[in-house]
Amino acid sequence: MNGFLAVVLICAGTVPVQDCEEATATDVFKTRVASEIGCATGWQEIIARSEVREGIGRTAYLKTQCRRIKASG
């Protein structure tokens, strides 16, 4: 079964959006989701339960990516 990987990047407010990627992010969260819609909605709970939530919107911002993954086999 194919699926998607939701990647949530936490980048410092000083990092331009176009430069926010895994190598420049201060934190990276990944979770497998069933659809592209899940990439847009599946990460809120992860961030809400993490310690990084306090800086979001003040000193840092979120950027999400959606990657298609193929089941091995």
Side-chain angles (χ1 to χ4, degrees):
M1 178 178 158
N2 292 339
F4 294 87
L5 187 65
V7 180
V8 181
L9 306 169
I10 311 296
C11 288
T14 57
V15 175
V17 174
Q18 67 272 14
D19 295 336
C20 181
E21 53 191 42
E22 286 190 53
T24 58
T26 57
D27 287 287
V28 178
F29 297 91
K30 297 178 182 180
T31 187
R32 189 178 180 136
V33 295
S35 68
E36 289 176 289
I37 293 172
C39 287
T41 61
W43 52 267
Q44 289 93 339
E45 186 176 349
I46 294 169
I47 298 303
R49 293 178 185 261
S50 74
E51 294 180 15
V52 300
R53 71 181 179 274
E54 298 300 324
I56 303 300
R58 288 185 263 168
T59 59
Y61 64 92
L62 300 174
K63 181 176 178 179
T64 60
Q65 298 176 339
C66 194
R67 300 180 187 157
R68 184 180 300 272
I69 52 175
K70 295 181 182 178
S72 58

